[in-house]
Amino acid sequence: QVQLQESGPGLVKPSETLSLTCTVSGGSMTTYYWSWIRQSPGKRLEWIGYVFSSGTTNYNPSLERRVSISVDTSKNEFSLRLNSVTAADTAVYYCARDSSNYGEDAFDIWGQGTMVTVSS
Amino acid sequence: SYELTQPLSVSVALGQTARIHCGGNDVGSKNVHWYQQRPGQAPVLVIYRDIKRPSGIPDRISGSNSGNRATLTISRAQAGDEADYYCQMWDSGSVVFGGGTKLTVL
């Protein structure tokens, strides 16, 4: 079955760029929507944005100025870049798959999550 | 922006029925999904499109959605049901999550 695995630095300095990659195994990325979701230490879940397998993106308006999500289907991975990070960006970052080929549905597969701390 | 409201905590006696509500303006006209999150683990989808169960989710877990409230119902509660539960929907092209409810099984 399809599995997701996040990877990237666990510590990022303030004002720098957070970069994470999600590797998809056990299935194709084609015709699915792939999202990044984060969870703050206070436990609230926040959707960051998605990328479709074609490269089309859609971002949370509250993060849109700082975020970029890209996909490389040949490597079976998609990536997140978040610029100008502050301590408020400290969270567990999850990648997840939208269950529908049409998007805007439930997230049926999640990665295990990776903790990212913003600190000098 | 749209908001989904959940109680911070719900308690249920072992073997009894727990109901976790998710409130939002006319939420009954939207598809609501529910996730279970145990400590230290990623969320797991337990109900999608209001009432559907993914494979592997027991039929003790059910959902409903009408008016201004969606509800996750857990019947015959077990110790293993103790977790945080989140409702989720899409609104105007963005994802909305409820704040989460901690379910305690007494």
Side-chain angles (χ1 to χ4, degrees):
Chain A
Q1 71 278 21
V2 175
Q3 294 183 312
L4 308 182
Q5 178 66 60
E6 305 89 350
S7 60
L11 181 64
V12 182
K13 290 183 168 54
S15 80
E16 296 191 344
T17 297
L18 180 159
S19 295
L20 297 174
T21 295
C22 181
T23 301
V24 181
S25 60
S28 171
M29 293 191 72
T30 306
T31 71
Y32 279 100
Y33 291 80
W34 305 90
S35 279
W36 286 97
I37 296 163
R38 68 183 183 179
Q39 187 170 34
S40 62
K43 300 198 297 182
R44 189 163 195 102
L45 290 165
E46 180 179 32
W47 175 73
I48 299 170
Y50 70 61
V51 61
F52 186 57
S53 53
S54 65
T56 300
T57 55
N58 182 29
Y59 302 128
N60 184 328
S62 69
L63 297 169
E64 191 167 20
R65 292 184 300 107
R66 299 193 292 130
V67 69
S68 175
I69 300 175
S70 60
V71 63
D72 187 339
T73 54
S74 67
K75 294 183 178 179
N76 260 25
E77 62 185 35
F78 62 107
S79 299
L80 167 70
R81 288 175 58 87
L82 184 64
N83 304 324
S84 306
V85 298
T86 69
D89 296 309
T90 293
V92 176
Y93 286 75
Y94 295 99
C95 54
R97 188 186 81 168
D98 191 307
S99 58
S100 168
N101 296 137
Y102 302 101
E104 300 203 4
D105 212 320
F107 299 108
D108 62 342
I109 301 173
W110 295 64
Q112 66 184 28
T114 187
M115 180 69 201
V116 178
T117 300
V118 178
S119 174
S120 55
Chain B
S1 60
Y2 198 92
E3 291 187 0
L4 292 173
T5 302
Q6 296 183 239
L8 284 176
S9 62
V10 168
S11 297
V12 62
L14 189 68
Q16 298 303 302
T17 298
R19 293 180 179 83
I20 299 173
H21 301 304
C22 173
N25 184 37
D26 196 28
V27 71
S29 67
K30 309 282 190 179
N31 284 325
V32 173
H33 319 294
W34 290 92
Y35 303 88
Q36 175 194 70
Q37 185 179 33
R38 295 191 172 102
Q41 297 185 18
V44 173
L45 180 66
V46 292
I47 291 289
Y48 66 102
R49 299 181 198 170
D50 300 336
I51 62 172
K52 297 180 181 297
R53 272 186 306 276
S55 61
I57 301 301
D59 60 8
R60 300 185 298 107
I61 296 178
S62 62
S64 63
N65 186 13
S66 178
N68 294 322
R69 189 166 76 180
T71 301
L72 178 72
T73 301
I74 302 174
S75 304
R76 303 183 300 281
Q78 303 175 357
D81 297 327
E82 196 159 280
D84 293 326
Y85 292 84
Y86 295 87
C87 57
Q88 176 252 317
M89 54 167 278
W90 286 81
D91 178 68
S92 301
S94 282
V95 173
V96 182
F97 284 103
T101 298
K102 179 176 179 55
L103 178 66
T104 301
V105 180
L106 304 171

